Amino acid sequence: NAGVTQTPKFRVLKTGQSMTLLCAQDMNHEYMYWYRQDPGMGLRLIHYSVGEGTTAKGEVPDGYNVSRLKKQNFLLGLESAAPSQTSVYFCASAGFRDRYLYGYTFGSGTRLTVV
Amino acid sequence: GESVGLHLPTLSVQEGDNSIINCAYSNSASDYFIWYKQESGKGPQFIIDIRSNMDKRQGQRVTVLLNKTVKHLSLQIAATQPGDSAVYFCAADSRYNNNDMRFGAGTRLTVKP
């Protein structure tokens, strides 16, 4: 049971380059999330999805786009990377039952450096 | 908007002592809370959760207390061990707020041998 898998684990980008981070979960969870973690800032929500084909903005959505074409996958895109997007990115997923989340699970993270 | 914070950025305890990590939340509609542990270089790991219809929940060596009146929750770790050294986050969610789980900044727990 893999849980939540993120790829790649590390990446270095030049300013202005684009890339896509992939998150895959095998728990049949409805909800998926993308967070970024910076030193001393905790986890900040970028975008999230409550189901296949739906996405919503979180706290810090600017400069990022997401897509949830399949229930098990949640993609995070950076169209034009900036040094301010240097961070560790975490994906998470959760099930939803009786209006409550359950089984909230994180991936192991992607360390992105923009130079 | 929602803010979730922790009272202390760092906490140092002696091995074998009990640890208490505190967290405050601002959204009175928050009704589901989770504590996570994050070790260096790893993703957050679920420890324990609690719903707003409870004020206490116990796990293995851990207890979470919820005080909805003052919007405060705490994580108690009994007989703290060196393997407990990590950053601990609390998170709050609301069924009435699109379930966009928000996290506090974290408390770094250091266990001294």
Side-chain angles (χ1 to χ4, degrees), chain A residues 25-113:
Chain A
Q25 54 96 2
D26 61 0
M27 297 170 284
N28 202 32
H29 281 169
E30 290 82 3
Y31 281 61
M32 297 188 74
Y33 305 81
W34 275 107
Y35 293 87
R36 60 177 287 173
Q37 186 175 40
D38 303 298
M41 297 290 289
L43 290 156
R44 291 185 293 168
L45 182 64
I46 304 172
H47 287 279
Y48 65 104
S49 168
V50 304
E52 182 179 323
T54 71
T55 63
K57 294 181 180 179
E59 298 174 78
V60 288
D62 294 342
Y64 305 95
N65 57 76
V66 288
S67 64
R68 183 105 181 264
L69 300 179
K70 294 183 179 180
K71 186 177 184 179
Q72 64 268 32
N73 295 334
F74 195 30
L75 279 63
L76 177 70
L78 285 74
E79 291 185 347
S80 180
S84 61
Q85 293 178 303
T86 294
S87 188
V88 180
Y89 292 85
F90 287 101
C91 176
S93 73
F96 188 67
R97 184 171 56 223
D98 298 328
R99 299 196 70 179
Y100 281 112
L101 295 175
Y102 71 91
Y104 210 94
T105 306
F106 279 88
S108 57
T110 296
R111 184 173 296 276
L112 174 66
T113 303

Side-chain angles (χ1 to χ4, degrees), chain B residues 8-104:
Chain B
L8 293 173
T10 62
L11 176 65
S12 182
V13 300
Q14 206 70 36
E15 182 178 357
D17 287 351
N18 296 335
S19 303
I20 300 176
I21 301 172
N22 296 303
C23 182
Y25 61 97
S26 61
N27 187 354
S28 56
S30 295
D31 54 11
Y32 178 57
F33 308 88
I34 304 177
W35 279 101
Y36 284 89
K37 172 185 180 182
Q38 186 176 24
E39 296 173 282
S40 182
K42 297 183 179 180
Q45 178 186 5
F46 174 93
I47 301 174
I48 191 167
D49 61 359
I50 188 168
R51 302 200 189 283
S52 58
N53 59 351
M54 303 173 69
D55 53 20
K56 180 179 179 180
R57 192 168 186 215
Q58 289 183 294
Q60 188 176 16
R61 284 201 305 118
V62 295
T63 300
V64 55
L65 299 177
L66 175 64
N67 186 331
K68 295 180 288 294
T69 302
V70 295
K71 296 197 283 288
H72 177 273
L73 69 159
S74 67
L75 176 70
Q76 301 178 2
I77 305 174
T80 313
Q81 302 169 0
D84 294 327
S85 293
V87 177
Y88 290 81
F89 296 92
C90 65
D93 182 57
S94 168
R95 290 173 292 168
Y96 308 103
N97 193 31
N98 297 318
N99 297 111
D100 57 345
M101 182 80 68
R102 303 294 178 101
F103 288 79

